[in-house]
Amino acid sequence: MADPRDACGVLGLYGVRGAAPMATLGLHALQHRGQESAGIVTGHNGSLFCRKGMGLVAQVFSGSEGSSLPGEIAVGHVRYSTAGGSSLANAQPLVGRYLGGEVAVAHNGTLAAGAALSEALARKGALFQTTTDTELFLHLLAQEQAASESAVAAMLAHAGPAFAAIFLFPDKMIAARDPWGFRPLVLGRLGKGYAVASETCAFDQMGAVYEREIRPGEMVIFDDGGCRSRCFGDSGGVTARCLLEHIYFARPDSVVFGATPHVVRWQSGVVLAGEFPLEADLVVAIPDSGVSAAMGFASALGLPVERGLIRNHYVGRSFIAPGPEARAMAVRMKHNVVREVVRGRRVVLVDDSLIRGTTTATLSRDLRDAGATEVHLRIACPPTRHPCLYGVDFPRREELLAHRYSLQEIQERLHMDSLGYLSLDGLAGIFGAERDSFCTACWTGNYPV
Amino acid sequence: MADPRDACGVLGLYGVRGAAPMATLGLHALQHRGQESAGIVTGHNGSLFCRKGMGLVAQVFSGSEGSSLPGEIAVGHVRYSTAGGSSLANAQPLVGRYLGGEVAVAHNGTLAAGAALSEALARKGALFQTTTDTELFLHLLAQEQAASESAVAAMLAHAGPAFAAIFLFPDKMIAARDPWGFRPLVLGRLGKGYAVASETCAFDQMGAVYEREIRPGEMVIFDDGGCRSRCFGDSGGVTARCLLEHIYFARPDSVVFGATPHVVRWQSGVVLAGEFPLEADLVVAIPDSGVSAAMGFASALGLPVERGLIRNHYVGRSFIAPGPEARAMAVRMKHNVVREVVRGRRVVLVDDSLIRGTTTATLSRDLRDAGATEVHLRIACPPTRHPCLYGVDFPRREELLAHRYSLQEIQERLHMDSLGYLSLDGLAGIFGAERDSFCTACWTGNYPV
Amino acid sequence: MADPRDACGVLGLYGVRGAAPMATLGLHALQHRGQESAGIVTGHNGSLFCRKGMGLVAQVFSGSEGSSLPGEIAVGHVRYSTAGGSSLANAQPLVGRYLGGEVAVAHNGTLAAGAALSEALARKGALFQTTTDTELFLHLLAQEQAASESAVAAMLAHAGPAFAAIFLFPDKMIAARDPWGFRPLVLGRLGKGYAVASETCAFDQMGAVYEREIRPGEMVIFDDGGCRSRCFGDSGGVTARCLLEHIYFARPDSVVFGATPHVVRWQSGVVLAGEFPLEADLVVAIPDSGVSAAMGFASALGLPVERGLIRNHYVGRSFIAPGPEARAMAVRMKHNVVREVVRGRRVVLVDDSLIRGTTTATLSRDLRDAGATEVHLRIACPPTRHPCLYGVDFPRREELLAHRYSLQEIQERLHMDSLGYLSLDGLAGIFGAERDSFCTACWTGNYPV
Amino acid sequence: MADPRDACGVLGLYGVRGAAPMATLGLHALQHRGQESAGIVTGHNGSLFCRKGMGLVAQVFSGSEGSSLPGEIAVGHVRYSTAGGSSLANAQPLVGRYLGGEVAVAHNGTLAAGAALSEALARKGALFQTTTDTELFLHLLAQEQAASESAVAAMLAHAGPAFAAIFLFPDKMIAARDPWGFRPLVLGRLGKGYAVASETCAFDQMGAVYEREIRPGEMVIFDDGGCRSRCFGDSGGVTARCLLEHIYFARPDSVVFGATPHVVRWQSGVVLAGEFPLEADLVVAIPDSGVSAAMGFASALGLPVERGLIRNHYVGRSFIAPGPEARAMAVRMKHNVVREVVRGRRVVLVDDSLIRGTTTATLSRDLRDAGATEVHLRIACPPTRHPCLYGVDFPRREELLAHRYSLQEIQERLHMDSLGYLSLDGLAGIFGAERDSFCTACWTGNYPV
């Protein structure tokens, strides 16, 4: 149950006819990474053209809005939804003008040193007009007073973790990933041009061909001279790729950090089954987040996977008035039990993660009401106890179930007959030789930077 | 791949505080039955109150619109989406005034004798203001010139198949199902009041308790005297429940015609596996329509089910400009292949039905491009060759793949290594003693009325 | 201060290329006759095409909506705004289908016998789907079961007063005015085609040339055979043209009942000056309703007209929260005093009519606060004491100031130093030989039918 | 015919309960100064709260949006409408964060030294995120790195002409007018609090009491200590108040630069009559811009003023498709001739100014078509030949009729029998001793700074 929300999806196109309409397609495929706002900026004849709005890509670019942005070079962005602080002013890509001319930026991540950078800039007279740290990139660039490759490299070197970002100038595009490689960014070819995106599912949608990851500390410059690579900084050998991308952010069909999330999740289920086996009648995934892990879990134990829960994909949150039954009704707007499947049977619920646990508690009750004789819970990642500093929008620490309660207490609060979390060792083992290249701070509290 | 669209979902509440806000919840759970328009009419202090609009329930009843409709008695409707003929004038519930006072109706189905009824009414001076046959109910009632139970019974006796309909008067509600029982309609209790709906998933959402189906030829009257039943007509012993409800219309978690669609679909997969077994490496469902059948199919053959296709639940149709690559791009807006799952493997695709086949042909190509060595197709219902006269919005006969081509030709057009359709006998067998109580006209051409 | 609101404006075009876009222009010129909703129906290739919406013409037909309605024959309508009973279902033109085929109607007026007609129709099984009496035309036509000229004539003969209406069939248009001639309707030429409208200002906007009034009891048929006239009924010699059209409904620049409202109003001011002369420093019109009469009044007395009140044409009603100062603030959203003009001077306020008087009372206080030493009121029509049965949306009788209070009381309640209403005799005298051809029921209570 | 558009209206409230809802009222009264966008920022509990949008005040603050902004201190803005460069990013008030904290600014005027200031700031690393010069105020303040009164004074001293601006900090408000006094700004009391606005009509609407003009070079600080004044700069004794405010920007009922525009315009008509008398039958104002001047003109010559042209206040621009008759139709959407008034008569048209002349040429033709025997034109200001550098949005110099043509040529192009422009001397004479305190650059080309 993915309570944490990713900090956005980014997309860049260079040398692509009808770059903006094509970018709407790609952003649509990245929609799972952010539903708050969407935006595209294109470059044409020495100027930037921008359209942004609140809502889904299909809402912001309904009709022919996309087509009205001219040019063969574009950067796009989808932003996650937050309760209060969201606003059109924070919608990306951000566009600014400075001594080097016009520039736009689309950013996935969080600048861990944002507060310090912000204060230093303010002391130089900087004026901030948004409440997002993405604006810092533009200010740092304005300090460099140029739009050259070197100016961008110098700016990126100052930014620190964590970012996957794409910069658009009227005549060139630069994509970059921080030296630790927290957030994903992939490079591909689209016809005679180039594409950059957070995940390869955007490439599949646009018909682009995946070439490789952009490397930690690498910036790739796209201009009249084609596409070339440059290193702008290093992390002293530390790689810290965000494992949550594999656990729940990325689309199962993407290639992320060189692997396919569906496959990673399936394997996590297999390992979890080895760590917490049990006797049961069937495995039920919490749809859609737990489906891949549930399949692996069931196959390892030789249990059937059945659809004991059905997800309603229509969003209806707004109907629920506050009141006694309101919370349970809200849960049922998304998930409903298939009674005939669970009646009289021992059920293992599998999910990718467990953050606040409120939904899971309701589902457990609903399953028992429907006649399940036992309800067990298996979580395909370790207990989440620490907030993220590198780009994931977490609940506050006090809201994290595993921060507040012992495993025994959690099992009781969720009305489970048993509870098992995948061990960090088990999870890391899936990646073999690459097991130490990931950030695991939200489970361990060991922050890599 | 459910190309046919259902003719709507209906909902009625009687004796329920805040009937309209509660109805929005129930309609939201029925949203899969119609996305074109939504509407609710309530009765209060001798008058009807109405709100309708184009779009999803959550769009029409965003904010507090639902709450502004007063009363403890309500009827609601969601309508399917059509390309051209759709308009707000056709949105239901329809409301009219006649000698008997005000009345509203919500209807699921199609009046097969609509043209004849319409002409007879016109010869009596009737004025039609919509293009939906649902309006005929109101005209037939206006001919009766009363709002009594008997007037409604007489009107229903004239209507002929096919309908599940709910009538709302300022002080009573009447729910009725045609004598053949084509379309589903269930009865439940909600607190001290009553609920009627197309499917039980609406009851689960509202916290209502399922009691029973409303029987073919039965009308149930809800008024100050409580709830009572009356027979208004019979079909000479013929029952003709729509099997497509089980195959793909109804939500898997509902109870429809006394059974659970997920379970029926799973069993259809099992029988299909018996009729068309094969050697393969994995079973892939076309999500979400084929998931239940694929699970049954795979379990019967001892094959793994894997997520070889991922569905994007965000709707983005509007982006696609016409052009050479447009159709394939449009298919990929909804489904994408998980390459690592299918690479080098023999894949069996399973879906609930096959109507036009355009999407399936693209998926087959995409699977082979991703490295699948074989692609087989298994369809969990018979070849669909005939249009429906009883409430399902089908493509024209010439667009039905199985009407135009032989099975061999279909296999070739879809680039499949083999193709198997579930036999009618195999499908009917799932229902045992009730096997002859279903309408199978879209497969056999034998129209029951 | 025109509190009463007219019952709509109508427009018809026959044989005009791009009839719908041209009709939007004409309706825009008739916008003062109704701001609640706007609609256009066109005929093309044997079918009707319709677009209606709530709001101004420019809102309903923003963008290219008008252009998307095909055909060279169109009927349009603007509807007045009411507080509660307004809804899209009542927006005109109304469209229906009956034995004679499709038909649309746009209507200005009120059928005085509406309740009786409605009950008679209901007894024949009629089903009503709106709450406007305009629907009765369609039902009466459906009773005739044909679309012939004779069927329309028979239907019109049954309708009684008051109407100016335009009927659209897929291949012909019929414009008609009731035998008493309550509401205006004019005929003109537009290129090689024809135009019909409530007022000639629509002709000026479209470039049409005024030919003549459609006569009381006349219907004009436009079809392949050109344009021809037919008499469908007579009133026994009684003509009852609505004088309020000249007093305040019609645009000053139109030709209505053969005269120009600005000129009639000017003359009413002249006569009023003769009936209630006074010594004063300046004449101030309540803008814009009193401007023409104030000019005539001032010229007759040799007084200067000055702009002592300025009208804000931006509509801002929605801002005002209920509260102590709210009413005065609301008045000032529309009118503000020019202090330097009125300070230390004796002011004569002139308006076209006085219905509820709430605004006038506030203006009187504001003028005195600004330093006016005297404030007199002159009203260019008789005291309005009776509601209208023929198409004007009046306040309830109890809200009519002149119904509740004596002239002396009115003068005191409005804080006026003197008060004069134009006499009916004085008003009628303006029309010379035609003085008895008008309905004066709202002043005299003598209802002509 | 006011082609030039003003650069906005500003409003500030301090110590007023419900400051935001009250500000919507005031902005509505200033709506004539800008229709492109509207916005309000409030201060409360140490933070700023902002709502802005495209469109009229009543559109942006429909419903309860205004009420949702908390606090007793508010600044509001309406912005003029431009064809291309307009966007939500440029809507004011602008809000920024810098070392001194949060600040908002609402600005009427244009910074003549904008380009130079902008480049200097860019060289210090400034990042611009809008295309309006108003942003420069925030950057200049960020350079000061404080929110103190002195910091604001220093910033204002750098800004140069032309501005009337209001700055909002979470706990104080500062209103300022440039040392030359180009744009108007008035100070008043509202209950126990204070109000500042571009024109007094906003005070009348809110119930505030006018106290005085804010003086050129004065800044007024509103904070816990009450209201105090400070001088931040001087112009070496040059005052350059914009005379166009009196000629056509300001509402006739406001007090601007100590005088009432309606009275100034009336007097301009009187002087014009002295300079260009003629024999004619009637004076017709081009409504509403020429009404005040026409009244003065007519009274001086003893001619009657009549309504020969009627203005349609509903905005319908969007309907007009390009085409041969399109321009004339567009003019008639706004103005229509009253034929009976002008037929057979010698007409003097009076307007406040003449910029491009396109509308006037069409009106002249329409008047002659309606039977006017002579048409003369009198313009109540000098020929406009030079663009404004100080805050008025003018057409380009080449579009200015009086820049391109001689008076004789203008008379011919507009089909006038005679033409007279008020002399600069005559206009200035109206102001007596203050005659040299105005900017007359658009007529003389003598730019005061």
Side-chain angles (χ1 to χ4, degrees), chain D residues 316-400:
Chain D
R317 237 163 303 173
S318 57
F319 303 133
I320 304 285
E325 263 296 281
R327 165 152 296 177
M329 273 183 176
V331 169
R332 284 177 209 128
M333 301 219 81
K334 204 168 163 189
H335 294 109
N336 194 30
V337 173
V338 186
R339 288 155 195 267
E340 198 171 337
V341 167
V342 303
R343 190 179 306 129
R345 302 174 81 184
R346 296 167 296 170
V347 174
V348 193
L349 270 183
V350 177
D351 206 353
D352 58 1
S353 59
L354 184 65
I355 307 297
R356 271 189 281 225
T358 46
T359 298
T360 315
T362 296
L363 293 181
S364 166
R365 256 200 313 275
D366 284 357
L367 285 165
R368 291 182 197 272
D369 287 350
T373 54
E374 294 177 15
V375 183
H376 303 265
L377 181 62
R378 294 295 178 270
I379 298 296
C381 77
T384 305
R385 296 197 171 103
H386 307 274
C388 175
L389 305 181
Y390 311 113
V392 179
D393 183 42
F394 256 62
R396 285 171 300 120
R397 186 188 298 262
E398 311 80 60
E399 298 177 82
L400 298 173

Side-chain angles (χ1 to χ4, degrees), chain B residues 175-231:
Chain B
R177 204 170 150 213
D178 71 52
W180 298 262
F182 282 97
R183 314 246 59 95
L185 196 62
V186 290
L187 173 63
R189 307 269 334 197
L190 179 49
K192 297 181 177 174
Y194 298 91
V196 178
S198 294
E199 297 182 27
T200 60
C201 60
F203 289 178
D204 295 339
Q205 178 63 64
M206 300 186 295
V209 179
Y210 173 59
E211 295 227 320
R212 63 172 177 89
E213 283 191 271
I214 291 184
R215 286 179 293 272
E218 178 186 14
M219 60 189 267
V220 182
I221 303 97
F222 306 84
D223 62 13
D224 279 357
C227 157
R228 63 188 177 283
S229 171
R230 170 171 176 161
C231 175

Side-chain angles (χ1 to χ4, degrees), chain A residues 117-174:
Chain A
L117 287 167
S118 180
E119 191 179 335
L121 284 161
R123 295 201 176 283
K124 292 180 180 168
L127 171 75
F128 299 99
Q129 297 186 55
T130 75
T131 57
T132 166
D133 60 349
T134 301
E135 190 182 349
L136 294 171
F137 285 108
L138 298 184
H139 283 286
L140 290 172
L141 194 55
Q143 293 293 323
E144 302 295 329
Q145 304 196 6
S148 65
E149 211 179 296
S150 308
V152 175
M155 174 268 283
L156 292 172
H158 283 116
F163 64 84
I166 313 179
F167 299 86
L168 194 78
F169 301 87
D171 59 349
K172 67 169 172 279
M173 180 170 87
I174 297 179

Side-chain angles (χ1 to χ4, degrees), chain C residues 99-339:
Chain C
L99 204 62
E102 281 187 298
V103 62
V105 59
H107 170 216
N108 175 24
T110 296
L111 296 189
L117 287 168
S118 180
E119 190 178 334
L121 284 161
R123 293 199 179 283
K124 292 181 181 169
L127 172 76
F128 299 100
Q129 298 187 54
T130 76
T131 57
T132 166
D133 60 349
T134 302
E135 189 182 350
L136 293 171
F137 285 109
L138 298 184
H139 282 287
L140 290 172
L141 194 55
Q143 293 293 324
E144 302 294 331
Q145 305 197 3
S148 64
E149 212 178 295
S150 308
V152 174
M155 174 268 282
L156 292 172
H158 283 115
F163 62 86
I166 312 179
F167 298 87
L168 193 78
F169 301 87
D171 58 349
K172 69 168 170 282
M173 181 169 87
I174 297 179
R177 204 169 149 213
D178 72 51
W180 299 263
F182 282 97
R183 312 247 61 94
L185 195 62
V186 289
L187 172 64
R189 306 268 337 194
L190 179 49
K192 298 182 177 173
Y194 298 90
V196 177
S198 294
E199 297 182 28
T200 60
C201 61
F203 290 177
D204 293 340
Q205 177 64 64
M206 299 186 295
V209 180
Y210 173 60
E211 296 227 319
R212 62 170 177 91
E213 282 192 272
I214 291 185
R215 287 180 292 273
E218 179 187 17
M219 60 189 266
V220 182
I221 302 98
F222 306 84
D223 62 13
D224 278 357
C227 157
R228 65 189 176 282
S229 171
R230 171 172 175 159
C231 175
F232 67 85
D234 81 295
S235 62
V238 180
T239 305
R241 304 183 291 183
C242 174
L243 238 174
L244 293 189
E245 289 284 348
H246 270 304
I247 299 296
Y248 45 51
F249 289 151
R251 249 174 60 169
D253 51 327
S254 285
V255 174
V256 172
F257 305 143
T260 297
H262 165 67
V263 175
V264 170
R265 291 169 202 176
W266 174 290
Q267 290 171 326
S268 75
V270 171
V271 178
L272 178 60
E275 296 185 347
F276 294 95
L278 79 169
E279 282 204 5
D281 296 313
L282 80 165
V283 174
V284 168
I286 298 190
D288 291 347
S289 52
V291 171
S292 295
M295 284 176 161
F297 185 90
S299 92
L301 295 184
L303 292 173
V305 188
E306 280 221 33
R307 298 175 88 186
L309 293 170
I310 295 295
R311 177 168 174 186
N312 182 356
H313 285 283
Y314 298 101
V315 181
R317 237 162 303 173
S318 58
F319 303 133
I320 304 285
E325 262 297 283
R327 164 152 297 177
M329 274 184 174
V331 169
R332 284 177 210 126
M333 300 218 82
K334 202 166 163 189
H335 295 109
N336 194 30
V337 172
V338 186
R339 289 155 194 268

Side-chain angles (χ1 to χ4, degrees), chain B residues 48-413:
Chain B
L48 298 186
F49 298 82
C50 176
R51 180 175 175 84
K52 301 190 278 192
M54 302 305 284
L56 299 179
V57 182
Q59 295 166 327
V60 177
F61 294 93
S62 68
S64 55
E65 282 91 348
S67 317
S68 68
L69 298 171
E72 305 195 348
I73 162 173
V75 60
H77 193 270
V78 287
R79 188 174 152 87
Y80 66 91
S81 171
T82 62
S86 85
S87 82
L88 187 52
N90 286 340
Q92 300 193 28
L94 293 184
V95 182
R97 213 165 8 93
Y98 70 113
L99 204 62
E102 280 188 300
V103 61
V105 59
H107 170 216
N108 175 23
T110 296
L111 296 189
L117 287 168
S118 179
E119 191 178 334
L121 284 161
R123 294 200 177 282
K124 292 179 180 170
L127 171 75
F128 300 100
Q129 298 186 54
T130 76
T131 56
T132 165
D133 59 349
T134 301
E135 190 182 349
L136 294 171
F137 285 109
L138 299 184
H139 283 286
L140 290 171
L141 195 54
Q143 293 294 324
E144 302 294 331
Q145 305 197 3
S148 64
E149 210 179 297
S150 307
V152 175
M155 173 268 283
L156 292 172
H158 283 115
F163 64 84
I166 312 179
F167 299 86
L168 194 79
F169 301 87
D171 59 348
K172 68 168 172 280
M173 180 170 87
I174 296 179
R177 204 170 150 213
D178 71 52
W180 298 262
F182 282 97
R183 314 246 59 95
L185 196 62
V186 290
L187 173 63
R189 307 269 334 197
L190 179 49
K192 297 181 177 174
Y194 298 91
V196 178
S198 294
E199 297 182 27
T200 60
C201 60
F203 289 178
D204 295 339
Q205 178 63 64
M206 300 186 295
V209 179
Y210 173 59
E211 295 227 320
R212 63 172 177 89
E213 283 191 271
I214 291 184
R215 286 179 293 272
E218 178 186 14
M219 60 189 267
V220 182
I221 303 97
F222 306 84
D223 62 13
D224 279 357
C227 157
R228 63 188 177 283
S229 171
R230 170 171 176 161
C231 175
F232 67 84
D234 81 294
S235 62
V238 179
T239 308
R241 304 183 292 182
C242 173
L243 238 174
L244 293 189
E245 289 283 350
H246 269 303
I247 299 296
Y248 45 51
F249 289 150
R251 247 174 61 170
D253 52 325
S254 285
V255 175
V256 173
F257 304 143
T260 298
H262 165 67
V263 175
V264 170
R265 290 169 201 176
W266 173 290
Q267 289 170 328
S268 75
V270 170
V271 178
L272 179 60
E275 295 185 347
F276 294 94
L278 80 169
E279 283 205 6
D281 295 314
L282 80 164
V283 173
V284 168
I286 298 189
D288 290 348
S289 53
V291 171
S292 295
M295 284 176 161
F297 185 88
S299 92
L301 294 184
L303 292 173
V305 188
E306 281 221 32
R307 299 175 89 187
L309 293 169
I310 296 295
R311 177 169 172 185
N312 183 355
H313 284 283
Y314 298 101
V315 181
R317 239 163 303 174
S318 57
F319 303 133
I320 304 284
E325 263 296 281
R327 164 152 296 176
M329 274 183 174
V331 169
R332 283 177 211 128
M333 302 219 81
K334 202 168 164 189
H335 294 110
N336 193 29
V337 173
V338 187
R339 289 156 195 268
E340 197 170 336
V341 167
V342 302
R343 190 181 304 131
R345 302 174 82 183
R346 295 166 298 170
V347 174
V348 194
L349 271 183
V350 177
D351 206 352
D352 58 0
S353 60
L354 184 65
I355 307 297
R356 272 190 280 225
T358 46
T359 299
T360 315
T362 297
L363 293 182
S364 165
R365 256 199 314 274
D366 283 359
L367 286 166
R368 290 181 197 275
D369 287 351
T373 54
E374 295 177 17
V375 182
H376 303 266
L377 182 62
R378 294 294 178 271
I379 299 298
C381 76
T384 304
R385 297 196 171 103
H386 307 275
C388 176
L389 306 181
Y390 311 112
V392 179
D393 184 42
F394 256 62
R396 286 171 300 120
R397 189 190 294 264
E398 312 78 63
E399 297 179 82
L400 298 174
L401 198 66
H403 172 76
R404 299 172 66 191
Y405 301 107
S406 70
L407 297 197
Q408 181 58 34
E409 286 168 334
I410 294 172
Q411 180 177 326
E412 282 162 17
R413 295 182 72 86

